[in-house]
Amino acid sequence: MSAPLRLGTRRSALAMTQSQMVADAVSAASGRDVELVPIVSEGDVNRASLSQLGGRGVFANGLREALAADRCDFLVHSLKDLPTLQPDGLVIAATPAREDARDVVVTRDGAPLGALPPGSRVGTGSPRRIAQALRHNPRLDIHDIRGNVDSRLARVRDGELDAVILAAAGISRLGGDLGGLHAEELGLAEWPTAPGQGSLAVETRTDIDPEILAALAQLDDEHTRVAVTAERTVLSALDAGCSAPVGTHAAIADGDLRLRAIVYALDGSHRIGIDRTVRLDTGYAREPGSGNDADAADDGGSITRAARVGREAARRLLERGAADLVPRESTT
């Protein structure tokens, strides 16, 4: 009988829940048992704010070290926390179908973010969410917070905060119970989220048993991989860290890959945005009012085209002054 496969995961309730979902799917695909191997990451013990931690892979490095040392066979990451530079010897074997990519504002009474009164205390540790919240309502009192979903919700329920901003996917994967609180779902057109938000990444070693790699690959969702490739390419081409004030969202509709990317000033006072569309079956890319974009034509596959449209979006954002708004990172 084959030994169980070992899945490395962070220890938080959300990470364990996500990982168990993947473990069950891999077990069904491989016919082998899968056991979770909890691993402590730097981000779990370092209580500095996300803006200080930057894009150094603090939620991924410890897991990747365990994988490289053969303490586990594969990993499950929240893709939005994963640096865009892929380490030698490791490969993203699958990106399962994406959950809801939106952010939600959670309050006690259901008041929308834009209607919260001056001085309302809103908790988030994300520079992007801070910038977006202040742009929607400059009168807010933003509190830089860390912690798991339950602890953040408790701070609203107990009256310490008036609202928190969270990922819809995390709430959904934990069962969706807000304990009597109310959620305002934020539309992706005006509130694009972190590149890869709502998506998971299944990572393994390049030298793993081909049968294991094939089992992991069965979890891959092509539409998700194409969309997150475009989003993460924007972040990489901007040379911005995972916590930079950059919101992106890409989706496939009627054979088109549609990408929206916005870079924000940290105080929300200014933003630079762009929309790009690429026709996946022909490589024909266009932007409203721009006519044909010959430089976006691509003879490669959908992933190659997604990366190209991401690079093109980043180039145009930089031409419009995005470099003045984005803290640069050399280790994304």
Side-chain angles (χ1 to χ4, degrees):
M1 183 175 180
S2 300
L5 297 176
R6 301 162 298 165
L7 190 168
T9 176
R10 291 173 59 197
R11 294 174 180 266
S12 72
L14 177 56
M16 296 288 281
T17 299
Q18 294 174 163
S19 294
Q20 189 60 58
M21 292 165 50
V22 172
D24 293 343
V26 172
S27 182
S30 66
R32 296 173 61 174
D33 291 338
V34 179
E35 62 182 23
L36 301 188
V37 180
I39 298 166
V40 176
S41 70
E42 180 187 350
D44 295 321
V45 295
N46 188 332
R47 305 317 299 170
S49 70
L50 290 178
S51 59
Q52 291 175 324
L53 291 174
R56 296 183 288 118
V58 294
F59 294 111
N61 292 341
L63 277 70
R64 284 173 159 174
E65 289 168 3
L67 180 61
D70 196 27
R71 289 164 46 203
C72 53
D73 299 304
F74 63 102
L75 307 170
V76 172
H77 305 279
S78 290
L79 188 57
K80 69 183 179 66
D81 296 329
L82 202 60
T84 56
L85 180 63
Q86 188 65 27
D88 292 338
L90 302 183
V91 62
I92 303 296
T95 52
R98 189 179 210 166
E99 273 267 12
D100 192 339
R102 293 175 295 181
D103 278 341
V104 295
V105 178
V106 180
T107 59
R108 287 185 297 279
D109 59 5
L113 182 72
L116 290 175
S120 294
R121 297 158 297 177
V122 176
T124 176
S126 160
R128 170 189 58 82
R129 288 173 176 157
I130 292 171
Q132 289 172 320
L134 290 174
R135 186 164 183 84
H136 278 68
N137 187 341
R139 304 164 297 174
L140 299 174
D141 178 15
I142 303 294
H143 287 244
D144 190 343
I145 63 171
R146 295 282 306 280
N148 60 33
V149 172
D150 286 342
S151 68
R152 296 185 192 207
L153 294 177
R155 295 173 75 169
V156 177
R157 197 175 296 113
D158 296 343
E160 180 183 345
L161 296 171
D162 298 301
V164 291
I165 306 173
L166 301 171
I171 295 174
S172 174
R173 287 175 181 141
L174 288 172
D177 183 10
L178 295 177
L181 300 176
H182 302 268
E184 175 196 5
E185 297 168 338
L186 302 169
L188 290 164
E190 278 303 306
W191 192 289
T193 51
Q197 182 159 310
S199 303
L200 301 177
V202 181
E203 187 173 44
T204 190
R205 296 184 299 275
T206 53
D207 63 356
I208 200 74
D209 185 323
E211 290 188 4
I212 298 176
L213 186 62
L216 299 180
Q218 291 186 45
L219 277 63
D220 195 58
D221 180 79
E222 182 181 2
H223 280 195
T224 297
R225 185 179 282 266
V226 169
V228 300
T229 294
E231 295 170 11
R232 285 166 57 79
T233 299
V234 173
L235 193 69
S236 176
L238 290 174
D239 193 21
C242 299
S243 63
V246 177
T248 67
H249 183 68
I252 297 173
D254 300 324
D256 286 343
L257 173 66
R258 300 171 182 172
L259 170 67
R260 181 164 178 76
I262 302 178
V263 179
Y264 299 87
L266 289 171
D267 63 359
S269 61
H270 180 53
R271 73 175 191 177
I272 301 170
I274 192 168
D275 293 283
R276 299 284 294 155
T277 298
V278 62
R279 186 71 183 172
L280 291 177
D281 60 358
T282 64
Y284 169 71
R286 61 190 183 276
E287 184 177 25
S290 66
N292 294 358
D293 281 335
D295 62 343
D298 180 18
D299 294 329
S302 296
I303 297 296
T304 302
R305 293 171 189 161
R308 179 165 293 191
V309 79
R311 288 192 298 271
E312 174 67 7
R315 181 180 69 81
R316 296 196 176 198
L317 287 169
L318 291 169
E319 288 176 349
R320 299 177 186 182
D324 296 330
L325 303 180
V326 178
R328 311 305 283 272
E329 293 280 357
S330 60
T331 55
T332 55

